[in-house]
Amino acid sequence: MFDTHLSWKSLSQVSRAMSTMLHSGVGIQKAVELASTKTYDARTRHALEAVSKEVANGTEVTEAMRRQNVFPSLMLDMVEVGEKTGALPEVLESLANHYENNLRLRRTFYFAIAWPMFQLIAAILVIALAIWLIGWFSTPESREFDILGLGLYGTSGAVIWLFSTFGTLAAIVVGYQLFKRTVAAQQILHPLLLQIPLIGYCMRSFAIARFSWAFALTQQAGMQIEESLKSSLRATSNGAFIAATKPMWDSIKDGDTLSHAMAESRLFPDDYLHMVEVAEQSGTVPEMLDRLSPKFEDQARRALEAMAAMLGWGVWMLVAAFIIFLIFNVVLRYIGMIQTFTNDAMK
């Protein structure tokens, strides 16, 4: 939502198609042109057609892609490295795997939260139905006994309830999407989310998995350490990690090791830092990070499942709390009516 970049699905399809054709010996301009015919997304097709025309006129692929303003920074950085090192087919294949994996993780998340969200929506609709039924069957005199305690009755009350609840949920989603569009906003929001136990663990695991993958790929492709570090931290899509770019690079520039710079950021767990330190001594950092990336993805996937379970229990507790509120509301109002009736009778 509100993202100006192409979707992960389109990026994975384009990367996979171009990689296959380049591996087969097809020229880069022809590969881009053919890739544009293999997508059903209009934005992707138009962008690739424009890239193909510019490349045919002598523009480098990276520059032609950058002018379209629809390709993410990571892809532009990696394509540029692939062009310079002659490893563009391999780079595009790795990018295809990366975006396909992102799609799998997103589907996992949506599947995990589907049932809790269904429960929440069902609870909201049941309350709306109760408001409508009370308004339909009650009289103005009986409405003094407000069983729901919301002051809402009938069709108008149900509409107000639905607009207030779904409107609030929509405002939260839209507000978050708008807020996270800028890096500055991410650097405010994401560090706060990282402090929440389960959510923070999940976000940190995803970020470290993406950093590990991107750093391994950029180093294996021959990118300079500064650009490799910057691209890898951007690939996390996490404001806290992106904000650590300058301090980490300043530390490395001053002669510190990568593991020391990571430790100073306070974003990476101790076991991860220890493995990076060992790999630095043996000169196998890219290979080690490439092996670690899937492990952190598995951690993030398990955290997603736990978070979905917690969300489900949270919805149930919310519904249970509302039911308890209704029971107490009915009992207290009933007691109040009895007391009023008794007092009137004694008079």
Side-chain angles (χ1 to χ4, degrees):
M1 185 183 292
F2 308 115
D3 196 348
T4 57
H5 292 152
L6 299 178
S7 67
W8 286 341
K9 183 177 181 180
S10 295
L11 293 172
S12 66
Q13 291 174 342
V14 168
S15 301
R16 182 71 66 193
M18 290 178 59
S19 173
T20 301
M21 285 183 280
L22 291 174
H23 272 301
S24 302
V26 178
I28 181 61
Q29 186 273 332
K30 191 64 176 179
V32 176
E33 180 184 345
L34 292 174
S36 68
T37 65
K38 295 181 179 295
T39 177
Y40 296 101
D41 181 68
R43 289 181 67 220
T44 306
R45 183 170 60 254
H46 294 155
L48 291 177
E49 289 173 350
V51 171
S52 177
K53 291 178 181 178
E54 292 200 32
V55 172
N57 292 329
T59 307
E60 292 187 350
V61 177
T62 308
E63 181 60 27
M65 293 175 65
R66 185 173 284 112
R67 291 176 182 175
Q68 309 311 311
N69 295 318
V70 294
F71 296 98
S73 298
L74 176 64
M75 188 173 193
L76 295 173
D77 292 341
M78 295 309 304
V79 170
E80 184 175 15
V81 172
E83 279 192 291
K84 292 179 179 178
T85 60
L88 188 55
E90 293 76 14
V91 166
L92 288 170
E93 183 178 3
S94 296
L95 283 170
N97 293 333
H98 171 65
Y99 290 121
E100 288 168 0
N101 188 56
N102 282 352
L103 284 170
R104 285 194 295 270
L105 291 174
R106 186 166 63 182
R107 283 194 294 267
T108 298
F109 175 73
Y110 287 160
F111 179 79
I113 67 170
W115 178 242
M117 291 306 298
F118 172 79
Q119 292 175 315
L120 179 60
I121 292 172
I124 292 173
L125 294 176
V126 167
I127 295 173
L129 178 62
I131 292 172
W132 181 78
L133 289 174
I134 291 173
W136 183 263
F137 291 106
S138 63
T139 62
E141 294 77 14
S142 64
R143 289 179 183 178
E144 295 180 4
F145 183 69
D146 185 5
I147 187 173
L148 294 179
L150 299 174
L152 300 175
Y153 306 96
T155 303
S156 61
V159 170
I160 292 173
W161 166 256
L162 292 174
F163 265 100
S164 61
T165 52
F166 286 121
T168 300
L169 293 175
I172 292 173
V173 172
V174 172
Y176 175 75
Q177 292 292 338
L178 291 174
F179 192 72
K180 76 170 188 176
R181 290 183 68 184
T182 63
V183 174
Q186 292 177 7
Q187 292 175 2
I188 296 173
L189 178 63
H190 289 168
L192 297 176
L193 294 176
L194 286 176
Q195 303 305 313
I196 302 175
L198 190 55
I199 295 175
Y201 178 79
C202 183
M203 291 180 63
R204 193 183 304 274
S205 296
F206 276 132
I208 293 176
R210 290 170 179 168
F211 172 84
S212 301
W213 171 85
F215 192 82
L217 180 59
T218 52
Q219 284 292 283
Q220 290 168 346
M223 184 181 284
Q224 294 296 319
I225 179 64
E226 180 180 5
E227 290 304 314
S228 177
L229 182 65
K230 291 179 179 178
S231 297
S232 302
L233 289 169
R234 281 200 305 266
T236 64
S237 299
N238 187 295
F241 283 78
I242 295 173
T245 302
K246 187 178 185 304
M248 287 181 63
W249 171 240
D250 288 343
S251 178
I252 293 173
K253 191 168 55 175
D254 291 339
D256 292 327
T257 62
L258 176 63
S259 58
H260 184 269
M262 289 178 171
E264 287 188 335
S265 72
R266 301 182 182 278
L267 294 170
F268 299 87
D270 292 338
D271 56 344
Y272 185 90
L273 294 172
H274 178 70
M275 286 184 282
V276 172
E277 184 178 4
V278 172
E280 282 183 302
Q281 296 172 1
S282 60
T284 59
V285 173
E287 294 80 4
M288 187 275 297
L289 292 183
D290 193 38
R291 292 193 300 271
L292 284 179
S293 179
K295 296 180 180 179
F296 277 91
E297 286 174 357
D298 289 339
Q299 287 184 11
R301 191 175 293 107
R302 290 193 295 270
L304 273 180
E305 294 172 355
M307 190 164 60
M310 183 182 69
L311 182 60
W313 279 107
V315 172
W316 276 113
M317 291 176 64
L318 183 64
V319 174
F322 191 76
I323 293 174
I324 293 172
F325 166 77
L326 291 181
I327 293 173
F328 273 96
N329 190 51
V330 171
V331 171
L332 291 176
R333 289 176 182 273
Y334 184 70
I335 293 174
M337 287 178 62
I338 293 176
Q339 291 177 342
T340 301
F341 178 79
T342 303
N343 292 335
D344 292 341
M346 292 178 65
K347 293 179 182 178

